[in-house]
Amino acid sequence: MIVSIRNEHLAIEFATKGAELKSIVGIDSSVNYMWRGDAQFWGKFSPVLFPIVGALKENTYEYQGQKYTLPRHGFARDMEFEHELISATEIAFKLKHTEETLKIYPFQFELTLCYRLRGASLQCTYQVVNPSDQTMLFSIGGHPAFAAPLHGEGTYTDYYLEFNNDDELTFHHIEDNLISDQTTTIELKDKMLPLKHELFYGDALVFKNLKSNHIRLLNTKNYKGLNFHFEGFPYFGIWAAIDADFVCLEPWCGIADGVNHNQHLTEKEGIEKLSAGETWERSWEVCCF
């Protein structure tokens, strides 16, 4: 099911499956800032990663002496969310644990994705509630794919990312979907990373020490672009499918298992721990121009 919100600047569409953001269209320009979802390359648009980010070693983890299996990025992106249209410019999607989720993830949870339009900006807030009497362990992250080029103007290599606080980028390599200790450092000129398809031939660029909390997607042909702002996410990924015309900007609270991880969930790098009855929130925001 497709639902929408809008204001005088932007029209937004979502799928209730996965609470997935599908399009951000400028009212005046008709420019869609999101990837078109071509299944030949990658058929998704902006999946939510929950209750894990990335892959588990052998797709398996151990908790309290039992082993469980979870697919890469978890299950929320493939589940149907309930939704509530709060106003013409705000919508909330909700997902709760079920008997089926408890078989593969033994924690009760209430997950809400709230999207709010504010002028030419869209804010996405992740809220996790622990309704149980035990500590909840989870990871969560965003995966929005933005079009490059926008509206078919220019080519992929006309586009670049501009970071507000980084002069170099050190990323971890991915080995069989897991995080390796091997790193590569890219020196940035004027804090800019030119886009080229070859950047992502080895999978995502995974950052554990990104200093920036603001990234701009810009190009050399016109003034169309976007500002992406995020706070409180200790990990970040940048990715595109091979030779596809998009770039994903991915703020994460959590990360894939390391190649040498012991598979114990309590010892997983980046795992969030939420006490009984507590609420956890993080937000990212995209401003389009």
Side-chain angles (χ1 to χ4, degrees), residues 9-279:
H9 300 285
L10 298 172
I12 316 294
E13 287 190 342
F14 311 90
T16 54
K17 181 181 179 181
E20 188 171 16
L21 170 64
K22 292 181 71 74
S23 68
I24 303 175
V25 177
I27 297 296
D28 294 334
S29 66
S30 297
V31 170
N32 184 3
Y33 292 83
M34 297 293 295
W35 159 243
R36 65 186 184 275
D38 186 345
Q40 178 184 347
F41 297 94
W42 186 59
K44 293 186 178 293
F45 303 83
S46 181
V48 56
L49 316 181
F50 177 89
I52 59 169
V53 171
L56 299 169
K57 189 175 184 179
E58 300 174 349
N59 292 320
T60 302
Y61 67 94
E62 185 173 323
Y63 179 70
Q64 293 186 343
Q66 294 192 44
K67 290 187 176 181
Y68 300 88
T69 298
L70 276 176
R72 189 181 189 189
H73 294 323
F75 50 71
R77 61 181 181 165
D78 296 316
M79 295 186 69
E80 189 72 18
F81 281 64
E82 296 180 358
H83 71 281
E84 177 186 2
L85 189 63
I86 298 171
S87 70
T89 59
E90 184 173 352
I91 192 168
F93 296 89
K94 297 181 183 294
L95 182 69
K96 297 182 179 180
H97 63 275
T98 67
E99 290 183 6
E100 293 305 309
T101 66
L102 289 170
K103 293 176 182 178
I104 56 176
Y105 175 66
F107 300 95
Q108 298 179 27
F109 67 88
E110 297 175 5
L111 170 64
T112 300
L113 274 66
C114 186
Y115 295 93
R116 301 178 182 88
L117 274 171
R118 301 189 298 188
S121 295
L122 177 68
Q123 182 188 64
C124 174
T125 298
Y126 304 124
Q127 182 188 85
V128 181
V129 175
N130 179 2
S132 75
D133 57 3
Q134 66 170 328
T135 298
M136 176 185 173
L137 306 180
F138 72 96
S139 297
I140 193 168
H143 204 304
F146 300 107
L150 290 167
H151 207 53
E153 297 179 3
T155 65
Y156 197 70
T157 53
D158 293 322
Y159 284 72
Y160 60 94
L161 300 175
E162 182 182 86
F163 298 79
N164 67 329
N165 287 324
D166 287 280
D167 295 305
E168 63 179 24
L169 301 174
T170 298
F171 67 89
H172 283 257
H173 292 239
I174 295 178
E175 181 180 318
D176 295 329
N177 292 329
L178 305 178
I179 306 301
S180 77
D181 294 329
Q182 181 184 358
T183 62
T184 294
T185 298
I186 303 173
E187 300 292 335
L188 303 181
K189 182 179 180 181
D190 298 324
K191 294 181 166 59
M192 295 186 298
L193 175 67
L195 290 184
K196 54 183 179 179
H197 292 304
E198 294 86 347
L199 272 175
F200 309 109
Y201 283 178
D203 212 320
L205 311 184
V206 176
F207 304 98
K208 295 185 178 184
N209 58 354
L210 195 69
K211 298 175 183 176
S212 295
N213 61 359
H214 193 93
I215 300 173
R216 305 178 78 198
L217 174 62
L218 303 168
N219 72 88
T220 60
K221 296 298 183 182
N222 57 43
Y223 294 103
K224 292 293 180 186
L226 57 86
N227 300 326
F228 190 80
H229 184 77
F230 51 99
E231 295 281 357
F233 294 89
Y235 304 96
F236 202 89
I238 302 176
W239 176 77
I242 292 177
D243 293 333
D245 287 340
F246 69 83
V247 61
C248 286
L249 303 179
E250 307 180 35
W252 299 336
C253 287
I255 193 170
D257 280 352
V259 294
N260 297 313
H261 182 50
N262 64 14
Q263 298 176 274
H264 288 274
L265 190 64
T266 54
E267 299 175 34
K268 180 173 172 58
E269 181 180 359
I271 199 75
E272 295 285 335
K273 298 180 180 180
L274 186 61
S275 298
E278 295 297 313
T279 298

